[in-house]
Amino acid sequence: MAVTPLVLAYGIVSGVLLLWLAGRLARNPRNTALRSVTALVACLAVAFPFGAAADKGAHALGLPPMISRLIQHGLLLVGVYSLVCFFLFSARERATARRRAGWYAALLLGAEVVLLVAALATPVSARTNDQSVPSVAVFFIAADVFMAVGFATAAVWAWRYAREAGGRLARGLRIAAVGLVAIVLANCVFVPAIVLGLVYNVGVADRAGSAGTVVGAIAVTVLLMPGVLLFLAGVSYPALMTRVGAVRVWWRHRRGYRQLAPLWTVLHSEFPDDALDRVPAAPWRDALRLRGTHRRYYRRVVECRDGLVRISPYLARTDASADLPSRLQEALAAHAAGESVPAKAVPVALPEGDGLDADVRELVRLARGLEMRGAG
């Protein structure tokens, strides 16, 4: 399997996804489902360099190419088993899940033994994907059959859960299920192609145009690699979309924080004692975190509203026919001059709708009015 853009994308995506999942697992180590998914992605990511070395016939970490192939597929089979366990322990009672997991573990052990024996029986001179060599053919047949069974089981469960779930989770499961089906189809293509190559003594690595080479290459390009990428995309889709939504909220709060600056500045200069002076333990780290932006945003909204409550008695004495920014400037000037007014707050810049967002929109409208008057 040459290092095509799809293969390279598989390596990059699996590596990045592994780092992200490892971070989540470090924060929630008791999550069984997360452990299973992390194990799957770890196997996919770690298997990639060994597979690349075996494809080139190169030594990796001093290991011969066929041993690299053994490590690659051995890890892939463990990854498939981890995926099966993820669905088993998510869908079944614990006792039932353990029994089914034990059955699949026996299949895994059997497949791994076949891979080990076949790899050791392969001549050193044989290329690791020359499926006209009987031991190489048996190696790939055992691996492909186990992966087809495991991925097919996972695809059925993923599609079933997608029908019961909703929103982002359902879409992610459907994407993953489509990817799994593509992987299963690829494995179902590989097995007869290997048998043909073995029966007719056609080496996949040697003879272009052979059934094994043509069919296998098409299956890899059209089914296997797109299927792997779709599966990884489906696994990461719910969390990724959640993160995208969080970034959108962060951007809206960051923009709102800046838009409120003209209003906050005039109110804070007049009522500095209204400032919420809680300072984070690490200001530089707080500035880089999404949570820090939210904290500063809510703080500014509260301080603006508190300032308007403080200045509202002075606003009550201004000309009601004038625009609110002009009246606010006049009220602030009266307060600065020390004029006395009845200490009775009145409503100011009331929002048309309910909720914080409606309140912020009204405050931003007032802030823009002040900014325009200042620019004029």
Side-chain angles (χ1 to χ4, degrees):
M1 184 170 60
V3 183
T4 64
L6 281 176
V7 175
L8 185 60
Y10 151 65
I12 295 173
V13 171
S14 60
V16 172
L17 188 56
L18 174 60
L19 292 175
W20 176 68
L21 285 172
R24 294 191 62 191
L25 185 61
R27 295 191 296 270
N28 191 9
R30 296 182 180 275
N31 190 321
T32 304
L34 184 58
R35 284 204 303 265
S36 298
V37 174
T38 304
L40 166 62
V41 177
C43 290
L44 293 176
V46 177
F48 176 75
F50 289 99
D55 289 337
K56 296 178 181 179
H59 284 65
L61 302 177
L63 301 173
M66 196 61 201
I67 299 302
S68 293
R69 185 70 75 192
L70 172 64
I71 295 173
Q72 176 202 14
H73 280 73
L75 286 171
L76 291 178
L77 265 57
V78 173
V80 174
Y81 176 73
S82 298
L83 179 63
V84 171
C85 287
F86 166 76
F87 284 106
L88 275 177
F89 286 95
S90 299
R92 305 282 184 175
E93 294 182 357
R94 196 165 188 83
T96 304
R98 283 180 176 175
R99 286 196 301 270
R100 295 290 296 273
W103 184 75
Y104 279 103
L107 287 180
L108 171 64
L109 179 60
E112 295 283 13
V113 170
V114 172
L115 295 189
L116 176 61
V117 173
L120 295 177
T122 301
V124 177
S125 59
R127 299 185 64 176
T128 64
N129 60 341
D130 185 357
Q131 294 161 7
S132 65
V133 178
S135 59
V136 176
V138 170
F139 180 95
F140 279 100
I141 289 173
D144 289 336
V145 168
F146 181 86
M147 286 192 282
V149 172
F151 282 131
T153 303
V156 171
W157 283 336
W159 194 262
R160 182 184 301 169
Y161 295 158
R163 294 169 59 184
E164 300 173 357
R168 297 166 179 166
L169 178 59
R171 286 191 291 272
L173 286 171
R174 290 191 183 98
I175 294 171
V178 171
L180 290 170
V181 169
I183 296 172
V184 171
L185 292 176
N187 285 301
C188 291
V189 170
F190 292 154
V191 173
I194 295 170
V195 173
L196 286 174
L198 183 62
V199 170
Y200 293 102
N201 196 29
V202 177
V204 171
D206 302 326
R207 302 182 186 179
S210 68
T213 298
V214 174
V215 174
I218 292 175
V220 168
T221 304
V222 177
L223 294 172
L224 181 62
M225 296 314 304
V228 172
L229 292 175
L230 278 174
F231 170 73
L232 292 175
V235 168
S236 58
Y237 180 85
L240 179 61
M241 289 298 101
T242 299
R243 180 59 61 183
V244 169
V247 170
R248 287 175 179 170
V249 174
W250 172 84
W251 179 257
R252 188 169 69 246
H253 286 181
R254 181 176 180 273
R255 184 179 58 185
Y257 176 83
R258 294 189 173 188
Q259 289 174 332
L260 289 172
L263 176 61
W264 178 85
T265 299
V266 296
L267 292 173
H268 179 70
S269 62
E270 199 64 34
F271 306 108
D273 52 321
D274 283 349
L276 303 176
D277 292 327
R278 183 178 179 272
V279 178
W284 62 271
R285 188 186 307 168
D286 184 68
L288 298 176
R289 298 175 62 185
L290 298 182
R291 190 178 302 173
T293 297
H294 300 320
R295 183 188 58 79
R296 291 189 296 274
Y297 167 78
Y298 291 123
R299 172 180 171 176
R300 178 156 288 186
V301 171
V302 171
E303 290 178 352
C304 284
R305 185 52 74 182
D306 288 347
L308 289 177
V309 171
R310 293 279 297 273
I311 200 64
S312 63
Y314 292 86
L315 278 167
R317 298 180 51 188
T318 59
D319 184 4
S321 62
D323 61 277
L324 185 56
S326 301
R327 295 174 57 203
L328 179 58
Q329 288 182 327
E330 182 181 343
L332 289 169
H335 180 272
E339 298 182 11
S340 59
V341 295
K344 183 179 180 181
V346 297
V348 180
L350 293 179
E352 297 177 358
D354 297 328
L356 179 64
D357 290 341
D359 193 25
V360 171
R361 282 194 296 270
E362 200 64 35
L363 294 175
V364 167
R365 188 178 294 116
L366 177 56
R368 286 176 178 169
L370 287 172
E371 187 176 26
M372 291 177 62
R373 290 186 61 82

